[in-house]
Amino acid sequence: MTQFTIYINGGSKKVKVDEDTPLLWVIRDELELTGTKFGCGKGLCGACTIHVNGIETRSCQTPIDFLDEDDEITTIEGLSKDSSHPVQKAWIQHDVPQCGYCQPGQIMTASGFLSRNNNPTDEDIDNAMRMNICRCGTYPRLKKAIKSAAKEIQDG
Amino acid sequence: MDKDHLISRRSFIKTASLIGSGFAIGFNFVQAKRELNSEFSPDMYINVLSDDTVVLSVSKAEMGQGVWTSLPMLIAEEMEVDWGKVKVQQISKDNFIGTGGSMSISGYGWEKMREAGAVAKQVLVESAALKWKVSPMECIAKNSVVYHQKTRRSTSFGSLVDKASKVKIPNSVRLKKPSEFNLLGKDMLRTDSKIKVDGTALFSMDKNLPGMLYAMVERPKYFGAKYKNSNLEQIKNQNGIIDVFLIPSGVAIVGEKYWSVVKARKLLKVNWEKKLNPVFADSKIYRSHLDKLSNGKSSKVRKDGSPSKIFKKAKDIIKAQYYLPFQTHAAMEPCNCVVNVSDRACEIWTGTQNPDNAITRASKVTGIPEKNIKLNLTFLGGGFGRKSFNDWIEDGVRISKHLKKPIKLINSREDDTKYGFARPSSKHNMSAVVNSKSIKAWKHIVVSPDPLTGNAANQYGASIPILKWATSIGIVKNKIRNYLVTDGAAHIPYDFENVSVKASPFETDIPLGFWRAVFHSQNAFANECFIDELAHKSEIDPIQLRLSHLKNNVRSTKVIQKVADESNWGLVLPKEHFQGFAYHNSFGSHVAQVVEVSIVDNRVRVHKVFCSVDCGQTVNPLTIRAQIQGSIIFGMGATLNSEMTVKNGRVNESNFDDYPVVRFDESPQIKVFILKNNEKPGGVGEPGLPPIAPAIANAVFAASGKRIRKLPILSKDLS
Ligand code: FES
Ligand code: FES
């Protein structure tokens, strides 16, 4: 096992794990930030999505030793204080979640891509969101929520 | 004045609140055994607190179907609480309610929840009357306040909690008439959204205990195989591994960290002794057995008129055979649990649809009495029927018992796909006689194993002693099986004069289970594709043919006409777009759908789904819409994307790459129309699913002239 220092949600944390441990399990089990979910372990479902330097990243496919020293991680817990990120607000307003299990991943994907493109076309949204599975089928409301979040981000 | 609604006083109890200063009304969601005994232990509470908040403790599992919102709405409606002051909390009790069969509201919630709300209101009104020394008849409650109009006095619910200790549970309450509802039938936002968007909602996967170890189970490679030997001694020496040992379902690997367990498991080599002559444990063999049985003898389930006479005399019999594959559930959260077994007690955290059974099984495995087993019900990351089986909980309990330490058992996605309880693959032989644009005779033979009396009985039936006993008697067993496999086939809503529905169930070693909408998903496909074929052969509009056989069924006629109007059925569509229709009645609700598809490069693209729903008195239309949309998308996956296959005694599929589900960009525009009436509330979690597969198949016929008689629809079926 190796000791690592990682920057996450605005602070630095020390962990001792095998160097091939995926970030998903470091975040969930070592740091006990359990909002990030395990769905497939193979980069297929997006439930484990986090931001690394603002870019949406599958934490189940990212071993901890892939990180550079100054990489900064954000998880659902660090996205905002009190669910105030436009994406989270839109999710509540549009009654998006059902079982809720996929939603932290959906939110991290949506917030990541909207930060680069706040005026997305339907095709842009499709391309970004097709990486995240929702087995409850919340897609129709996800789509509405993304559009209204984009609007709020534009209006600043 | 309406007659008062008498309640059994013994089914409600008033106590001090356990969660704050105030009082609580306790009751049982279903009439539990305890209610009949003197010892009464409620599984739900309405807590009225002095700060005016009302906390509703819900004991039913929330797996996305919105019970955290809809059940409290039922209480709040009768209690006259300000909805903004209502909070919801999950409670753990030793008597739980299972979640399945679209039963949350339709089955037991409706009346009991409303009664409880009315009881709480009555207690508050009487407390106010006592305080003011007036007659309770002169007081009314509204928006969390009790008023005495004569003296213009008012007081909030919270201010009455002390007085309430002097008031008894009433003998009778008055329930509102539907015309008096303020909350029921209105769109109410979910109460659990905030914790689901900030990552704090607790799924069992998220539970951690001090000193907790991680576990996985390597299960038999083939159905029914037995452990021969393995290199488990060597695995014990792997880094971070605490122990490797046998449990009845396989080899348990336990380590300090999940990742160490994953890595060690890759090195584990187990030799399994295959079961001799496994029964139809291969898709090809199974399929030919379906064919064989469909041509053989079958048992009668329903007979109206004289179908055989009509078939014998008929010049022209229209026939078709339909085939449906196995499907697995693929809930987003793989099965997992946290268990802590000590000498005298056992505590479990998990998301299960069948909590009572989990406790019974944990008690059996540990020898610890049920009263010392605590099950903490967490949110479920999807269930769809899979989480009724509790197999993973038994594994977790055994592992923790062996080590006397807290453990978290996590199924990988591959474990979840390969070791589930699949929807049975079935075959449907249909025949009919059509004469002067009317269906004279209809015959449906269902060939399928059933999930309850076969192998799964040991899994699920274990909790239902009566079922175990009943299925040990041949004739009763056959009745149950025939009834199960023809659910949705025997009770077709159409008024055909001559009907024959038969069943041909059989056994297999493939583990089977309940999948969303159970047999309705298969039988509706056969019914609704076949009636479409009959319409086209007889040159009648498919919707008209159905309506002509539903003349005495007002609800189904209305629901069908609604969707036909909204979808512009039969009118001009965008270029290369085609429509298909299907209707089905299940779990007390009527659902009709029109889908609009196009076919590009031999691939079906679903653009729009129009769906009308009559589920009786509505509680929360937002929840209904979400459930219907979700069922459509879930059913679309089983129509166009996925199928579970079995080869040589094992499941082929493993993860979302080879069991692809519907993704965001494939999701159609879905319009849901809810018909309003005051009929008994029906289910909403499942009835949206059965029509989607036949509606798509019928649209594909309209687009390509090709009849779809087998799911899923593959590109090669269209080329
Ligand atoms: S868990 Fe990482 S993509 Fe599915
Ligand atoms: S909300 Fe259940 S999987 Fe998306």
Side-chain angles (χ1 to χ4, degrees), chain B residues 18 54 60 72 80 101 116 143 214 225 274 278 292 298 317 377 431 438 457 472 494 504 612 620 629 645 669 714:
Chain B
L18 288 176
V54 170
K60 200 171 157 61
E80 303 291 355
N143 257 328
Y214 292 86
K274 266 180 125 175
K292 194 176 127 208
S298 45
I317 300 176
L377 200 53
S431 33
S438 170
S472 67
Y494 306 112
S504 192
S612 59
N620 187 358
Q629 290 168 343
T645 60
Q669 191 189 341
L714 305 172

Side-chain angles (χ1 to χ4, degrees), chain A residues 72-87:
Chain A
E72 281 184 34
I73 298 171
T74 309
T75 67
I76 186 77
E77 291 86 351
L79 187 64
S80 73
K81 279 215 174 70
D82 208 22
S83 315
S84 58
H85 189 282
V87 168

Side-chain angles (χ1 to χ4, degrees), chain A residues 24 37-49 57-61 131, chain B residues 332 655-656:
Chain A
L24 171 63
K37 300 298 189 226
F38 163 63
C40 70
K42 264 194 162 178
L44 299 165
C45 76
C48 65
T49 308
T57 305
R58 309 280 170 250
S59 64
C60 74
Q61 297 301 299
M131 303 307 291
Chain B
M332 215 55 223
N655 206 319
F656 291 119

Side-chain angles (χ1 to χ4, degrees), chain B residues 109-168:
Chain B
W110 181 247
E111 193 120 288
K112 199 72 191 183
M113 292 287 129
R114 291 176 59 215
E115 273 180 9
V119 165
K121 179 183 87 175
Q122 193 58 26
V123 166
L124 287 160
V125 164
E126 285 179 23
S127 308
L130 197 67
K131 181 173 169 180
W132 295 326
K133 305 201 172 55
V134 298
S135 157
M137 301 289 278
E138 293 171 358
C139 302
I140 56 157
K142 218 172 176 67
N143 257 328
S144 290
V145 177
V146 184
Y147 297 90
H148 185 246
Q149 270 156 335
K150 261 196 204 159
T151 54
R152 307 219 163 171
R153 276 180 291 188
S154 66
T155 189
S156 73
F157 282 6
S159 69
L160 292 165
V161 297
D162 292 336
K163 275 276 176 296
S165 62
K166 304 202 172 67
V167 175
K168 281 205 185 116

Side-chain angles (χ1 to χ4, degrees), chain B residues 277-293:
Chain B
N277 307 319
V279 189
F280 310 121
D282 186 287
S283 290
K284 272 199 189 132
I285 302 171
Y286 183 99
R287 175 80 195 265
S288 55
H289 190 64
L290 286 179
D291 289 335
K292 194 176 127 208
L293 287 186

Side-chain angles (χ1 to χ4, degrees), chain A residues 1 16-18 20-22 25 28-30 32 34-35 37-40 42 44-45 47 76-77 82-83 88 91-93 95 97-104 107 125-126 129-133 135-137 139-143 146, chain B residues 63-64 188-190 193-194 196-199 201 203 205-206 208 214 257-259 263 328-334 380-382 384 408 410-414 622 626-627 629-630 633-634 655-657 659 661-665 667 670:
Chain A
M1 286 202 276
K16 219 172 141 196
V17 292
D18 286 353
D20 56 353
T21 307
W25 302 108
R28 287 185 51 84
D29 296 344
E30 306 300 319
E32 301 203 16
T34 53
K37 300 298 189 226
F38 163 63
C40 70
K42 264 194 162 178
L44 299 165
C45 76
I76 186 77
E77 291 86 351
D82 208 22
S83 315
Q88 286 168 310
W91 253 236
I92 294 173
Q93 195 193 334
D95 219 35
Q98 276 179 229
C99 84
Y101 194 78
C102 73
Q103 297 302 338
I107 290 169
I125 298 177
D126 276 359
M129 299 306 292
R130 75 175 315 283
M131 303 307 291
N132 286 64
I133 291 173
R135 195 61 176 140
C136 295
Y139 303 128
R141 296 188 304 289
L142 276 171
K143 193 167 203 164
I146 288 169
Chain B
M63 54 179 184
M188 302 304 284
L189 288 178
R190 300 178 67 103
S193 283
K194 189 179 173 296
K196 286 179 175 176
V197 305
D198 67 10
F203 297 87
M205 189 86 86
D206 307 333
N208 289 320
Y214 292 86
K257 294 187 194 292
Y258 181 66
W259 194 241
K263 285 199 287 187
T328 185
H329 304 79
M332 215 55 223
E333 180 189 24
L380 276 77
F384 316 120
K408 183 188 285 189
I410 303 180
N411 268 9
S412 67
R413 170 59 53 191
E414 288 78 8
L622 271 186
Q627 283 293 310
Q629 290 168 343
I633 291 166
F634 196 90
N655 206 319
F656 291 119
D657 45 0
Y659 191 82
V661 300
V662 174
R663 287 181 181 269
F664 190 95
D665 57 333
S667 172
I670 303 175

